[in-house]
Amino acid sequence: MASTSEFSRTLSLLRKERGVSQRTAAADLGISQALLSHYEKGIREPGLAFVVKACDYYHVSADFILGRTLSRDGAMLSEEDILSAADQGNVLRGSVMATLQSKLLAGAIGVLFDLLGKLNDKAAINEAAAYLGTAVYQLYRRLYRAAGGNEAYFSVDPASCTTGAAADMALSDTRYAQTLRQLNERKAEFPPVSDEAVAQNYPGRSQSITQVLHGADSRIASLTEK
Protein backbone atom coordinates (compact mmCIF):
# COMPACT_ATOMS: atom_id res chain seq x y z
CA MET A 1 0.00 0.00 0.00
CA ALA A 2 1.11 3.59 -0.58
CA SER A 3 2.20 5.61 2.44
CA THR A 4 -0.13 4.86 5.34
CA SER A 5 0.06 8.49 6.44
CA GLU A 6 -1.16 9.65 3.02
CA PHE A 7 -4.04 7.16 3.10
CA SER A 8 -5.12 7.98 6.65
CA ARG A 9 -5.03 11.74 6.06
CA THR A 10 -6.99 11.48 2.81
CA LEU A 11 -9.52 9.12 4.41
CA SER A 12 -10.15 11.57 7.23
CA LEU A 13 -10.40 14.59 4.93
CA LEU A 14 -12.86 12.84 2.60
CA ARG A 15 -15.15 12.04 5.53
CA LYS A 16 -15.04 15.62 6.79
CA GLU A 17 -15.61 16.91 3.28
CA ARG A 18 -18.70 14.71 2.99
CA GLY A 19 -19.91 16.14 6.29
CA VAL A 20 -20.57 12.88 8.11
CA SER A 21 -19.51 11.80 11.57
CA GLN A 22 -17.04 9.01 12.18
CA ARG A 23 -19.88 6.92 13.60
CA THR A 24 -22.00 7.37 10.48
CA ALA A 25 -19.13 6.67 8.08
CA ALA A 26 -18.11 3.58 10.04
CA ALA A 27 -21.67 2.20 9.94
CA ASP A 28 -21.95 2.87 6.21
CA LEU A 29 -18.62 1.15 5.62
CA GLY A 30 -19.51 -1.83 7.77
CA ILE A 31 -16.85 -1.45 10.46
CA SER A 32 -16.71 -0.17 14.02
CA GLN A 33 -16.11 3.49 14.79
CA ALA A 34 -13.00 2.50 16.76
CA LEU A 35 -11.52 0.73 13.73
CA LEU A 36 -12.28 3.65 11.42
CA SER A 37 -10.62 5.95 13.93
CA HIS A 38 -7.52 3.76 13.84
CA TYR A 39 -7.50 3.88 10.03
CA GLU A 40 -7.87 7.67 9.98
CA LYS A 41 -5.08 8.10 12.52
CA GLY A 42 -2.75 5.67 10.75
CA ILE A 43 -2.63 3.34 13.75
CA ARG A 44 -3.79 0.37 11.67
CA GLU A 45 -3.57 -0.38 7.97
CA PRO A 46 -6.77 -1.60 6.27
CA GLY A 47 -7.12 -4.50 3.89
CA LEU A 48 -7.97 -4.28 0.22
CA ALA A 49 -11.67 -4.95 0.82
CA PHE A 50 -11.99 -1.82 2.98
CA VAL A 51 -10.07 0.31 0.47
CA VAL A 52 -12.52 -0.74 -2.25
CA LYS A 53 -15.50 0.07 0.00
CA ALA A 54 -14.04 3.47 0.90
CA CYS A 55 -13.44 4.29 -2.76
CA ASP A 56 -17.06 3.48 -3.62
CA TYR A 57 -18.35 5.38 -0.58
CA TYR A 58 -16.42 8.56 -1.33
CA HIS A 59 -16.58 8.18 -5.12
CA VAL A 60 -12.82 8.34 -5.68
CA SER A 61 -10.24 6.09 -7.30
CA ALA A 62 -7.97 3.79 -5.33
CA ASP A 63 -4.95 5.71 -6.61
CA PHE A 64 -6.40 8.91 -5.17
CA ILE A 65 -7.21 7.52 -1.73
CA LEU A 66 -3.78 5.86 -1.56
CA GLY A 67 -2.02 9.10 -2.43
CA ARG A 68 -0.71 7.98 -5.82
CA THR A 69 -2.53 10.63 -7.86
CA LEU A 70 -4.11 14.04 -7.33
CA SER A 71 -7.14 13.20 -9.43
CA ARG A 72 -10.21 11.62 -7.88
CA ASP A 73 -10.84 9.47 -10.94
CA GLY A 74 -7.20 8.47 -11.31
CA ALA A 75 -6.48 10.72 -14.28
CA MET A 76 -4.05 13.62 -14.37
CA LEU A 77 -5.35 16.72 -12.63
CA SER A 78 -3.94 20.03 -13.77
CA GLU A 79 -2.86 22.74 -11.36
CA GLU A 80 -5.62 24.95 -12.76
CA ASP A 81 -8.17 22.24 -11.97
CA ILE A 82 -6.98 22.13 -8.37
CA LEU A 83 -7.08 25.89 -7.93
CA SER A 84 -10.54 26.28 -9.46
CA ALA A 85 -12.10 23.21 -7.87
CA ALA A 86 -13.26 25.12 -4.80
CA ASP A 87 -15.66 27.13 -6.96
CA GLN A 88 -17.45 24.03 -8.20
CA GLY A 89 -20.03 23.59 -5.48
CA ASN A 90 -17.43 23.43 -2.72
CA VAL A 91 -16.29 20.02 -3.98
CA LEU A 92 -12.86 20.71 -2.51
CA ARG A 93 -12.68 22.63 0.72
CA GLY A 94 -9.58 24.40 1.96
CA SER A 95 -8.10 21.51 3.92
CA VAL A 96 -8.43 19.11 0.99
CA MET A 97 -6.99 21.64 -1.44
CA ALA A 98 -4.06 22.20 0.89
CA THR A 99 -3.44 18.45 1.03
CA LEU A 100 -3.55 18.16 -2.75
CA GLN A 101 -1.15 21.04 -3.28
CA SER A 102 1.15 19.67 -0.59
CA LYS A 103 1.22 16.29 -2.34
CA LEU A 104 1.85 17.95 -5.68
CA LEU A 105 4.84 19.96 -4.49
CA ALA A 106 6.22 17.22 -2.24
CA GLY A 107 6.20 14.78 -5.14
CA ALA A 108 7.88 17.23 -7.50
CA ILE A 109 10.56 18.18 -4.96
CA GLY A 110 11.15 14.51 -4.21
CA VAL A 111 11.88 13.82 -7.88
CA LEU A 112 14.15 16.87 -8.14
CA PHE A 113 16.29 15.94 -5.15
CA ASP A 114 16.47 12.29 -6.11
CA LEU A 115 17.83 13.32 -9.51
CA LEU A 116 20.29 15.72 -7.88
CA GLY A 117 21.36 12.97 -5.52
CA LYS A 118 22.37 10.82 -8.48
CA LEU A 119 24.87 13.55 -9.43
CA ASN A 120 26.53 13.07 -6.05
CA ASP A 121 27.32 16.79 -5.81
CA LYS A 122 26.73 18.48 -2.47
CA ALA A 123 26.85 22.01 -3.87
CA ALA A 124 23.96 21.46 -6.29
CA ILE A 125 21.84 19.87 -3.56
CA ASN A 126 22.64 22.58 -1.01
CA GLU A 127 21.90 25.46 -3.38
CA ALA A 128 18.60 23.90 -4.47
CA ALA A 129 17.66 23.40 -0.81
CA ALA A 130 18.66 26.99 0.03
CA TYR A 131 16.54 28.38 -2.82
CA LEU A 132 13.45 26.41 -1.81
CA GLY A 133 14.06 27.02 1.89
CA THR A 134 14.04 30.77 1.39
CA ALA A 135 10.86 30.54 -0.68
CA VAL A 136 9.17 28.70 2.20
CA TYR A 137 10.59 31.26 4.65
CA GLN A 138 9.12 34.13 2.65
CA LEU A 139 5.70 32.53 2.29
CA TYR A 140 5.51 31.46 5.92
CA ARG A 141 6.68 34.83 7.18
CA ARG A 142 3.97 36.62 5.19
CA LEU A 143 1.39 34.28 6.72
CA TYR A 144 2.95 34.75 10.16
CA ARG A 145 2.74 38.54 9.82
CA ALA A 146 -0.84 38.49 8.52
CA ALA A 147 -1.86 36.28 11.44
CA GLY A 148 -0.46 38.80 13.92
CA GLY A 149 2.71 36.94 14.84
CA ASN A 150 5.51 38.65 16.77
CA GLU A 151 8.03 39.93 14.21
CA ALA A 152 10.73 39.82 16.87
CA TYR A 153 10.76 36.06 16.27
CA PHE A 154 12.82 36.79 13.13
CA SER A 155 16.21 38.49 13.06
CA VAL A 156 15.52 40.23 9.73
CA ASP A 157 13.28 43.28 10.05
CA PRO A 158 10.05 43.31 7.96
CA ALA A 159 11.24 46.16 5.73
CA SER A 160 14.29 44.19 4.60
CA CYS A 161 12.63 40.78 4.42
CA THR A 162 11.28 40.86 0.86
CA THR A 163 14.42 42.37 -0.68
CA GLY A 164 16.71 40.11 1.30
CA ALA A 165 14.76 36.97 0.43
CA ALA A 166 14.77 37.83 -3.27
CA ALA A 167 18.51 38.46 -3.18
CA ASP A 168 19.19 35.22 -1.34
CA MET A 169 17.11 33.20 -3.82
CA ALA A 170 18.81 34.89 -6.77
CA LEU A 171 22.24 34.07 -5.32
CA SER A 172 21.28 30.45 -4.70
CA ASP A 173 19.92 30.16 -8.24
CA THR A 174 23.16 31.61 -9.68
CA ARG A 175 25.31 29.23 -7.67
CA TYR A 176 23.06 26.30 -8.59
CA ALA A 177 23.35 27.09 -12.30
CA GLN A 178 27.12 27.54 -11.98
CA THR A 179 27.48 24.18 -10.26
CA LEU A 180 25.53 22.42 -13.01
CA ARG A 181 27.69 24.10 -15.68
CA GLN A 182 30.82 22.89 -13.93
CA LEU A 183 29.45 19.36 -13.80
CA ASN A 184 28.79 19.56 -17.52
CA GLU A 185 32.31 20.78 -18.16
CA ARG A 186 33.68 17.86 -16.16
CA LYS A 187 31.57 15.52 -18.31
CA ALA A 188 29.64 14.30 -15.28
CA GLU A 189 27.01 11.67 -15.95
CA PHE A 190 23.60 13.25 -15.60
CA PRO A 191 20.54 11.07 -14.89
CA PRO A 192 17.97 10.73 -17.70
CA VAL A 193 15.30 13.43 -17.47
CA SER A 194 13.06 12.71 -20.47
CA ASP A 195 9.34 12.32 -19.82
CA GLU A 196 9.62 8.62 -20.52
CA ALA A 197 12.56 8.11 -18.15
CA VAL A 198 10.96 10.10 -15.33
CA ALA A 199 7.66 8.25 -15.71
CA GLN A 200 9.49 4.92 -15.61
CA ASN A 201 11.79 5.75 -12.69
CA TYR A 202 9.21 7.62 -10.60
CA PRO A 203 5.85 5.97 -11.32
CA GLY A 204 4.21 7.43 -8.23
CA ARG A 205 5.60 10.96 -8.51
CA SER A 206 6.18 11.68 -12.20
CA GLN A 207 2.71 13.24 -12.48
CA SER A 208 3.62 15.74 -9.77
CA ILE A 209 6.79 17.01 -11.42
CA THR A 210 5.00 17.18 -14.80
CA GLN A 211 2.15 19.25 -13.41
CA VAL A 212 4.42 21.61 -11.47
CA LEU A 213 6.59 22.19 -14.55
CA HIS A 214 3.65 22.77 -16.88
CA GLY A 215 1.91 25.04 -14.39
CA ALA A 216 4.97 27.23 -13.89
CA ASP A 217 5.70 27.21 -17.62
CA SER A 218 2.22 28.48 -18.38
CA ARG A 219 2.40 31.24 -15.76
CA ILE A 220 5.80 32.41 -16.97
CA ALA A 221 4.68 32.30 -20.61
CA SER A 222 1.70 34.51 -19.81
CA LEU A 223 4.03 37.07 -18.22
CA THR A 224 6.48 37.10 -21.09
CA GLU A 225 4.06 37.12 -24.00
CA LYS A 226 4.02 40.38 -25.93
Side-chain angles (χ1 to χ4, degrees):
M1 180 177 288
S3 169
T4 302
S5 63
E6 292 286 354
F7 170 80
S8 60
R9 182 166 58 250
T10 302
L11 185 67
S12 176
L13 287 171
L14 285 170
R15 177 179 59 77
K16 293 173 182 176
E17 178 188 84
R18 182 160 174 166
V20 296
S21 67
Q22 215 172 54
R23 175 180 297 180
T24 298
D28 291 342
L29 291 167
I31 61 174
S32 68
Q33 182 180 348
L35 183 56
L36 179 59
S37 177
H38 285 173
Y39 289 163
E40 290 189 357
K41 292 178 180 178
I43 297 174
R44 294 185 59 180
E45 185 174 297
L48 180 60
F50 175 81
V51 174
V52 173
K53 282 185 179 180
C55 289
D56 291 340
Y57 184 64
Y58 293 118
H59 306 294
V60 297
S61 70
D63 278 340
F64 177 84
I65 206 168
L66 294 175
R68 289 172 51 83
T69 178
L70 299 174
S71 173
R72 292 177 179 241
D73 62 6
M76 178 174 284
L77 186 66
S78 71
E79 185 178 9
E80 183 179 354
D81 291 334
I82 294 174
L83 294 175
S84 63
D87 297 326
Q88 300 171 6
N90 289 324
V91 174
L92 296 180
R93 297 195 177 107
S95 59
V96 180
M97 286 185 67
T99 297
L100 290 174
Q101 288 288 20
S102 176
K103 288 181 180 180
L104 182 71
L105 290 171
I109 291 172
V111 172
L112 171 65
F113 278 98
D114 192 76
L115 290 170
L116 289 175
K118 296 182 186 304
L119 287 171
N120 197 29
D121 187 274
K122 292 181 180 179
I125 295 172
N126 287 339
E127 294 305 335
Y131 183 94
L132 292 171
T134 301
V136 172
Y137 168 89
Q138 177 76 329
L139 293 173
Y140 184 84
R141 184 159 182 182
R142 288 187 184 281
L143 174 62
Y144 184 88
R145 183 183 303 135
N150 181 11
E151 288 288 351
Y153 176 77
F154 301 95
S155 59
V156 180
D157 66 88
S160 304
C161 179
T162 300
T163 302
D168 184 64
M169 292 175 68
L171 181 59
S172 295
D173 184 43
T174 298
R175 289 173 174 169
Y176 177 72
Q178 182 180 29
T179 299
L180 295 180
R181 283 196 301 270
Q182 291 172 345
L183 287 170
N184 258 319
E185 291 169 359
R186 296 202 302 266
K187 307 298 182 183
E189 184 176 353
F190 281 74
V193 293
S194 66
D195 289 344
E196 295 77 10
V198 171
Q200 180 179 354
N201 294 328
Y202 306 97
R205 294 178 289 172
S206 60
Q207 176 181 303
S208 295
I209 188 69
T210 298
Q211 290 180 218
V212 168
L213 293 177
H214 288 179
D217 196 57
S218 296
R219 292 192 302 273
I220 295 170
S222 68
L223 294 173
T224 57
E225 288 176 352
K226 295 181 179 180

